[in-house]
Amino acid sequence: METLPFALAVVRDSRIVYANTALLELLGFPREEVVGRLFELFSPQQQPFLAERHARRLRGEPVPDTYETVIRSSRGERRVELSISMKEPETWVMIRDRSGRVVHRQILQRVASLGASLPGLHDEEEVLRRVFEGLAELELSYGYLVPDGERVWLGHAFVATGTAAGEARLTGQHLVDVPGTWTPMLRQAWTEGSAHGEDFAWETAQFVGPDWAEPVRTHLRRVGPLRAVCVRIDQEGRPRALLTLAADWLSEEELPSLHLFAAQVSAALEAARTISRLSTHNTALTALNCLAAVAATAAEPRAFFGPGTEEIIGLLHCTTVLVLLRNEKGDELELVWSQGATEESVQPFRRLPMRGTMSGKVIELGMPMVLQADDFSEPMREHLRRHGRATVAMVPLQVRSRMVGTLAITFSQHRLLSLMEQETLQAMGSHFAAAIESHRLLQQVRGRAEELARIHAELKHAQRQLVEHERLAALGELSAVVAHEVRNPLGAIFNALATLRRFVEPAAPSNTLVTILEEEANRLNRLVDDLLDFARPPAPELYPVPLSRLLEEAVRTATSGQSRIRVEWALQPDVPPVPVDERMMRQAFLNLALNAVQAMPQGGTLRVTAHRCSESPGAIVEFTDTGSGIPPELRERLFKPFFTTKATGTGLGLAIVQRTLDAHGGHILIESPPGGGTTFRLVLPLLPQVEAQAG
């Protein structure tokens, strides 16, 4: 009986009559201090509860057989799990140490906090970087995997100290970029959204394949039993990637928490993708405009290849760009231009037969292809690997119905090009093909230079309007989704918090967690409000309003409870009522006042000024703080949506101020001298009739 893997106590007449070695080791007391006692071994707060439950069990009343409690040991109190079994006239109590579970729950809570911090990040790489850094700080080993057909690419991994089997060189973050095979846990997570694996060593061995299976399995089993949880990352309603976490304590109980974290990551990636898509679309249009402009003025094709390939490298962040054209006979492709490649690396591409090569297949099919190094046959596959080329994308160069060659770009890391990237690359290929053909039409093109310049200017103007329209439309759609999908859960959260406040004592440790939840819920609610205000601003209803009243209301709200902030007023009496939308302008003043208060965390002076504009009919309002000032490199970005320097900011406050000023026909200026302090100056126009009445 002494060899049982769990702590065991036999109880008779409310006293321990037998305690095995595992129990004595858990308690840290000698046998004589354990046998003959029972409830004294538990935490004083737990003793009445346990005594009452034991009495009910002896009376035959139904009570749970398994529950958690706190036991006293020589090393302090420890959380344990009790499993009770009645064997008349004795009671057998199996005790399992669960003190580590509290730590694990704290880790899961920090994972949830990490997921809650992701909204508002601007691009997908930033979201993933925050996720990877946060999981690494929690010492959770992980792997980020991207399925590609029958292969699964391991793109990023982190090996925690506890899973490195003493190999310090293996710990830390790694950009892996290696392919593997599907495992049962990965397939289940890809299909169902999440999965649990009891044997991480076996799953990893299945992933790496037979050549590395045994060394990997042997290494991981030196660590001890490792379990894994795999969750799916979705985007645009479709599975995108898999995130696998490994630790010795992960169980199926953690699936809901980590599945929720995956949903948070998916939502953050979706929002960041919506924002970055607009930026990328604008960048692609600019690049295409540059290519069109260079192609239209190039004296001959080679004058276009240099600027054109530089645009491609800058847009897609690829390693090299190759231009291959068909020779006069049409049976071979010749390399006519390369960018970012060495002489040795492009040697096999000097002359390629049309038949039996990937470039020839692209021309034959007339459609772009994105291939990995393993998709090529030898010796090309070995050549690509030797020179660090993981992915090759090729598009056909077509002039009308005639194929003139291929445009090939390579990446040093594994890449899956998005549909927009492929379409942009194909559009660039069309420009290259047009440049090749353009030297025969150069004289005609130059004769129409003025007309093309005019069309080009109109196109740029139309594109700017299109980008702005799409940006606002995307934000409008996003705000509608946020309002619908977030407000209802927020209401439930606020109701739950109000209920918790009634049950949680102010001095209880859990009160801090309730406060954190309440603050984060309020912050999320503010983010929804700001996003809705920015994405769907109402048309202003203008009527004359005294500026002094709006300013006093805004400043009073912003400085409430701020004893370190001193307010100076300089409101000139000759400032007439200004035609504004009272609600919108009050919010703009409040945002600027709050911004000034937050710029002075140690206290300072807020100076508020209002006076007539001497240059044109209007009024000027100024908010001046004595903070540290704004660096010159940040001033141009302050009014861009979602840009913020505050840890808890939404990045929409100043953007809403800018939108409000635009709606009122006004504008805003910033002054921040090197010595510190910042002034936001608002110029508000006056309607002619209001100015006449004021005169």
Side-chain angles (χ1 to χ4, degrees):
M1 184 176 296
E2 294 289 327
T3 60
L4 289 173
F6 47 81
L8 173 66
V10 179
V11 178
R12 185 185 304 131
D13 297 329
S14 300
R15 290 287 181 268
I16 295 177
V17 297
Y18 171 80
N20 70 349
T21 303
L23 177 58
L24 298 177
E25 291 177 353
L26 174 64
L27 297 174
F29 297 137
R31 187 180 301 273
E32 56 270 18
E33 294 186 21
V34 175
V35 175
R37 306 170 67 189
L38 178 60
F39 299 116
E40 301 90 334
L41 298 175
F42 293 91
S43 172
Q45 293 80 5
Q46 296 288 315
Q47 291 176 10
F49 166 76
L50 294 173
E52 186 269 341
R53 177 161 286 191
H54 183 64
R56 290 174 58 193
R57 183 177 289 106
L58 293 177
R59 292 196 298 268
E61 297 180 13
V63 293
D65 294 331
T66 301
Y67 49 89
E68 289 190 6
T69 186
V70 177
I71 199 168
R72 302 168 67 183
S73 73
S74 61
R75 296 177 295 277
E77 293 189 345
R78 304 175 68 90
R79 181 165 289 277
V80 297
E81 180 185 86
L82 304 184
S83 296
I84 311 299
S85 177
M86 297 290 294
K87 301 180 181 295
E88 293 291 347
E90 299 169 341
T91 301
W92 288 38
V93 182
M94 291 180 290
I95 306 174
R96 293 179 175 85
D97 189 358
R98 287 291 184 263
S99 55
R101 180 175 295 185
V102 176
V103 177
H104 302 154
R105 287 174 179 170
Q106 292 174 346
I107 292 176
L108 291 176
Q109 289 172 354
R110 293 177 62 185
V111 169
S113 298
L114 173 62
S117 70
L118 300 177
L121 299 181
H122 291 178
D123 58 64
E124 297 174 87
E125 290 185 3
E126 190 177 359
V127 172
L128 292 177
R129 183 170 60 253
R130 179 75 64 84
V131 170
F132 296 155
E133 291 175 353
L135 294 176
E137 289 177 1
L138 296 175
E139 277 293 302
L140 280 173
S141 296
Y142 66 80
Y144 187 76
L145 305 105
V146 180
D148 180 18
E150 293 301 315
R151 294 176 297 193
V152 182
W153 289 86
L154 176 61
H156 196 281
F158 172 77
V159 180
T161 305
T163 56
E167 297 286 345
R169 60 186 177 86
L170 299 178
T171 60
Q173 298 200 31
H174 304 281
L175 289 172
V176 185
D177 197 36
V178 296
T181 59
W182 288 93
T183 70
M185 181 181 67
L186 296 182
R187 288 193 181 277
Q188 182 182 353
W190 190 251
T191 303
E192 300 177 9
S194 61
H196 175 258
E198 279 291 334
D199 192 343
F200 179 67
W202 183 85
E203 290 282 345
T204 306
Q206 295 294 310
F207 176 80
V208 299
D211 294 339
W212 289 92
E214 192 55 37
V216 168
R217 186 186 297 113
T218 302
H219 170 80
L220 289 176
R221 286 182 174 169
R222 286 170 53 199
V223 181
L226 285 177
R227 300 175 179 84
V229 168
C230 184
V231 291
R232 188 182 69 205
I233 308 299
D234 296 334
Q235 192 163 323
E236 296 182 344
R238 296 193 300 268
R240 169 184 172 174
L242 295 168
L243 180 63
T244 299
L245 305 174
D248 57 357
W249 54 272
L250 287 172
S251 66
E252 289 190 79
E253 296 179 4
E254 279 69 60
L255 279 178
S257 298
L258 295 176
H259 187 73
L260 175 61
F261 174 68
Q264 292 174 308
V265 176
S266 299
L269 287 171
E270 188 71 32
R273 182 179 177 84
T274 301
I275 296 169
S276 62
R277 182 185 294 164
L278 296 174
S279 176
T280 303
H281 191 191
N282 187 35
T283 303
L285 289 175
T286 302
L288 290 174
N289 283 338
C290 292
L291 290 182
V294 175
T297 57
E300 51 94 18
R302 289 181 178 272
F304 166 74
F305 291 158
T309 52
E310 288 178 359
E311 289 288 347
I312 293 176
I313 292 176
L315 181 63
L316 298 178
H317 306 291
C318 55
T319 306
T320 60
V321 180
L322 308 178
V323 181
L324 300 101
L325 300 181
R326 298 179 71 169
N327 59 10
E328 294 182 358
K329 296 181 180 179
D331 58 352
E332 282 186 336
L333 289 169
E334 298 179 2
L335 179 66
V336 298
W337 188 269
S338 65
Q339 188 89 358
T342 63
E343 183 67 24
E344 181 186 0
S345 65
V346 299
Q347 193 60 39
F349 300 95
R350 292 292 179 191
R351 287 185 177 274
L352 291 174
M354 285 287 295
R355 293 183 177 274
T357 62
M358 291 296 185
S359 294
K361 188 174 182 180
V362 169
I363 292 178
E364 179 183 350
L365 297 176
M367 58 185 296
M369 297 179 65
V370 180
L371 306 166
Q372 310 306 321
D374 292 342
D375 296 327
F376 290 84
S377 57
E378 298 293 359
M380 184 62 73
R381 179 192 307 163
E382 178 59 28
H383 176 82
L384 292 172
R385 289 176 175 173
R386 187 170 66 254
H387 290 278
R389 305 295 185 259
T391 302
V392 180
M394 293 179 287
V395 296
L397 300 180
Q398 182 177 0
V399 179
R400 299 182 181 88
S401 60
R402 185 166 65 93
M403 296 291 180
V404 299
T406 60
L407 179 67
I409 64 174
T410 68
F411 298 88
S412 58
Q413 293 183 352
H414 172 72
R415 275 288 303 271
L416 296 176
L417 269 67
S418 66
L419 180 60
M420 187 173 69
E421 287 177 325
Q422 294 185 41
E423 292 175 348
T424 301
L425 185 59
Q426 195 167 9
M428 289 181 166
S430 299
H431 283 297
F432 272 79
I436 296 168
E437 191 76 4
S438 66
H439 71 284
R440 295 198 296 261
L441 306 172
L442 184 58
Q443 297 303 322
Q444 299 179 28
V445 171
R446 286 183 174 175
R448 301 176 58 189
E450 293 184 1
E451 181 182 357
L452 288 177
R454 179 183 59 79
I455 294 175
H456 177 64
E458 293 177 354
L459 177 62
K460 289 183 67 175
H461 178 69
Q463 287 168 343
R464 284 196 298 268
Q465 291 182 328
L466 176 62
V467 170
E468 178 66 13
H469 175 75
E470 290 184 351
R471 183 174 71 88
L472 292 177
L475 284 175
E477 294 175 1
L478 178 60
S479 64
V481 173
V482 169
H484 179 72
E485 298 294 337
V486 177
R487 277 285 167 72
N488 288 339
L490 270 177
I493 291 173
F494 282 125
N495 290 337
L497 285 171
T499 303
L500 286 175
R501 285 291 188 194
R502 294 198 299 269
F503 292 97
V504 176
E505 296 293 333
S510 57
N511 187 53
T512 302
L513 297 178
V514 175
T515 301
I516 293 174
L517 287 173
E518 191 172 34
E519 291 175 352
E520 292 302 317
N522 283 323
R523 177 169 172 250
L524 183 57
N525 195 46
R526 290 195 303 272
L527 176 60
V528 173
D529 289 337
D530 286 351
L531 185 60
L532 290 173
D533 287 342
F534 179 79
R536 295 180 176 178
E541 298 180 5
L542 305 179
Y543 56 91
V545 177
L547 286 181
S548 58
R549 177 167 58 83
L550 294 183
L551 289 169
E552 289 170 359
E553 292 174 357
V555 172
R556 184 170 59 251
T557 301
T559 58
S560 176
Q562 302 289 334
S563 59
R564 296 185 178 182
I565 302 299
R566 187 167 64 91
V567 180
E568 290 184 359
W569 295 95
L571 307 180
Q572 298 297 324
D574 62 341
V575 179
V578 179
V580 297
D581 185 299
E582 183 173 358
R583 186 193 65 82
M584 295 175 66
M585 193 56 63
R586 181 186 294 108
Q587 183 64 45
F589 288 165
L590 176 60
N591 287 350
L592 291 172
L594 286 172
N595 196 67
V597 170
Q598 292 166 1
M600 302 180 289
Q602 306 302 323
T605 300
L606 169 60
R607 181 177 176 81
V608 184
T609 304
H611 57 85
R612 279 179 177 269
C613 181
S614 59
E615 300 176 357
S616 60
I620 295 178
V621 175
E622 296 179 352
F623 290 82
T624 303
D625 63 66
T626 58
S628 58
I630 301 173
E633 63 271 16
L634 297 183
R635 294 176 195 171
E636 294 182 359
R637 303 173 61 191
L638 286 178
F639 298 102
K640 292 185 178 180
F642 306 108
F643 174 78
T644 181
T645 59
K646 304 180 183 69
T648 59
T650 64
L652 290 173
L654 291 179
I656 292 173
V657 172
Q658 178 74 70
R659 177 70 61 78
T660 300
L661 267 291
D662 291 341
H664 287 76
H667 59 277
I668 185 169
L669 303 172
I670 301 176
E671 292 182 1
S672 187
T678 302
T679 296
F680 285 87
R681 180 175 296 110
L682 287 71
V683 180
L684 299 170
L686 292 178
L687 293 178
Q689 59 270 31
V690 176
E691 177 68 8
Q693 295 172 4

